[in-house]
Amino acid sequence: ISAKNPTSGSRWATAAVDLSGEFTIVADDDFKKEIGQPMWVRTIALGIIGITAEKVVQSEEGRTLLIRGANARGVWERTLVSSGADAMNDDYTPLKVPIITADGEEVEGEAWWEGQGTVHLSWMRGVDKYGGGDFESKRYLEDNGNVLVCESVFYHRDTAIEPARVKW
């Protein structure tokens, strides 16, 4: 996408930024409060999170985003494929692909770009673990492209349960 040939609509298949890079998760005080779990669970989770690293490889003008996370639990690699409007076509069909979660479940993945190609949004639908539900993640850059931010929300099937949110 360029200023000369922008796409229209709010859902894009292609990106205006490149999220590629290697990142280490920073667990600040806000993050520690946001995971909303008992102290013993937070202690274990923060020990794993503190040694988590992610490598992001963006390709095909942002249509594919390979994310490889590694921590004490192991390696989780997934490829998110974006669908939406692009410079050649305003019409699109949402692309839904099978993805294996970090817990080994096969779910339905869907992704696209918002914010004029600056925010990558993805969904993993059909999770059975944790009482069942769907994960939503938004990834974008801050600090002149030096910091990758990920906002994740787990929406429980049981709508009486508040969504679990974390920003890292």
Side-chain angles (χ1 to χ4, degrees), residues 64-132:
T64 61
L65 200 66
L66 170 70
I67 303 171
R68 183 178 195 272
N71 62 32
R73 287 185 62 199
V75 175
W76 178 33
E77 188 170 292
R78 65 261 189 218
T79 301
L80 304 171
V81 182
S82 297
S83 60
D86 61 26
M88 303 303 286
N89 194 352
D90 287 340
D91 294 327
Y92 64 90
T93 300
L95 181 60
K96 298 176 182 179
V97 298
I99 293 182
I100 304 297
T101 68
D103 295 310
E105 285 187 86
E106 184 174 312
V107 298
E108 180 182 84
E110 184 178 5
W112 63 88
W113 290 89
E114 293 183 344
Q116 297 185 319
T118 61
V119 177
H120 188 270
L121 191 131
S122 63
W123 281 89
M124 290 191 200
R125 295 186 178 103
V127 174
D128 286 325
K129 214 164 165 116
Y130 316 112

Side-chain angles (χ1 to χ4, degrees), residues 20-32:
S20 297
E22 294 188 29
F23 304 93
T24 303
I25 294 178
V26 177
D28 61 12
D29 288 335
D30 288 338
F31 176 84
K32 293 173 187 175

